[in-house]
Amino acid sequence: MNSNLVIAIDGPAGAGKSTVAKILASRLGIRYLDTGAMYRALALKALRAGLTSQDGVQAAQILENTEIEFGPGNPQRVLLDGEDVTDLIRTMEISELASALSVFSEVRAGMVSRQKALVAEGSCVLEGRDTTTVVAPTADVKVFLTASLEERARRRHQELAVKGSEPEIESLTKQISERDHRDYTREDSPLTCSSDAHLVETFGLTPDQVADQIMGKFAEG
Ligand code: DC
């Protein structure tokens, strides 16, 4: 193993990837790379430019002249061309548009090359639906988190409730199920559990317990 430690966490929407990735990054004192936030930031810029879910090619062009950076903070700050968009990219509208635009190969190519460059900068925990297969296929530890659709919707509901918004559980379940379908069936790098990833079923486990399991895999080598 080289001196850089790269942990890639993959899995469907709402499986707990970001919570677990943040815990691991903080325990290990290494960077946390939220690849989904990059798609979300681009979606926000695309929305502001009047683009829709069909306009992936134009969104990819916009990406060429866009700076997306991460800044310190809890939650980690996301900067779009220098503007702090951390909260603006967490709406349901942006979730939808990010998911739709992420289907376009042009968008994925631009994102993946940036993400690979970020990984090459040093140790990190990266998280997102292609990180174990495309962005960091040679990561030291690869993990695929799973949970049932109902469990993921329940967790998303809880997360949103803490933030003061409480969409109907039915509409969340539908939204996550649609995103699953899009993620699993897209032509370019569909969501899959690669054969060398550790599959972790997260039902009934707290994020800390999931992180413990992953640290255990790491210790195994
Ligand atoms: O993880 P998230 O919900 O913040 O991601 C937002 C969208 O971005 C998600 O619906 C699909 C896309 N995405 C992707 O295609 N590949 C990634 N590595 C991360 C996110």
Side-chain angles (χ1 to χ4, degrees):
M1 198 178 290
N2 60 30
S3 55
N4 285 339
L5 170 64
V6 177
I7 301 179
I9 304 195
D10 218 315
K17 299 186 295 294
S18 54
T19 313
V20 170
K22 276 182 229 168
I23 292 173
L24 285 170
S26 146
R27 282 193 197 177
L28 295 162
I30 60 180
R31 288 175 305 148
Y32 161 51
L33 184 56
D34 177 356
T35 61
M38 297 172 74
Y39 286 89
R40 287 171 179 274
L42 175 64
L44 177 62
K45 189 161 176 178
L47 186 70
R48 287 172 169 175
L51 302 191
T52 70
S53 55
Q54 309 300 312
D55 300 326
V57 175
Q58 292 92 317
Q61 282 162 2
I62 285 183
L63 179 60
E64 283 174 20
N65 298 305
T66 299
E67 234 182 319
I68 302 172
E69 295 160 299
F70 294 106
N74 187 14
Q76 183 181 59
R77 310 320 288 176
V78 182
L79 304 176
L80 171 63
D81 296 324
E83 176 192 353
D84 187 333
V85 296
T86 313
D87 299 325
L88 295 177
I89 60 171
R90 296 293 159 192
T91 65
M92 280 178 100
E93 186 179 27
I94 293 296
S95 297
E96 280 301 303
L97 188 57
S99 170
L101 293 177
S102 74
V103 169
F104 288 82
S105 294
E106 293 85 351
V107 170
R108 303 205 67 78
M111 283 296 178
V112 168
S113 73
R114 281 169 189 237
Q115 290 160 357
K116 280 179 180 276
L118 285 168
V119 172
E121 282 175 20
S123 298
C124 63
V125 182
L126 77 157
E127 165 258 301
R129 303 162 180 74
D130 70 345
T131 51
T132 60
T133 51
V134 179
V135 180
T138 59
D140 300 290
V141 182
K142 303 207 279 182
V143 178
F144 192 94
L145 298 185
T146 61
S148 69
L149 175 62
E150 293 70 27
E151 170 71 2
R152 290 183 285 129
R154 194 190 57 75
R155 287 184 197 160
R156 206 24 82 79
H157 187 259
Q158 253 179 2
E159 263 170 38
L160 291 169
V162 170
K163 291 183 189 153
S165 81
E166 263 190 83
E168 297 277 310
I169 193 106
E170 290 76 17
S171 74
L172 275 178
T173 308
K174 184 162 172 280
Q175 193 196 33
I176 294 180
S177 150
E178 282 167 5
R179 282 172 67 186
D180 278 357
H181 180 73
R182 214 178 282 154
D183 289 343
Y184 280 110
T185 60
R186 71 182 175 220
E187 249 170 62
D188 187 341
S189 26
L191 176 63
T192 72
C193 177
S194 70
S195 57
D196 55 351
H198 299 285
L199 182 69
V200 177
E201 164 60 59
T202 63
F203 178 76
L205 297 179
T206 64
D208 269 303
Q209 288 171 327
V210 176
D212 290 343
Q213 278 206 13
I214 297 172
M215 297 283 278
K217 310 279 181 212
F218 175 50
E220 284 164 22

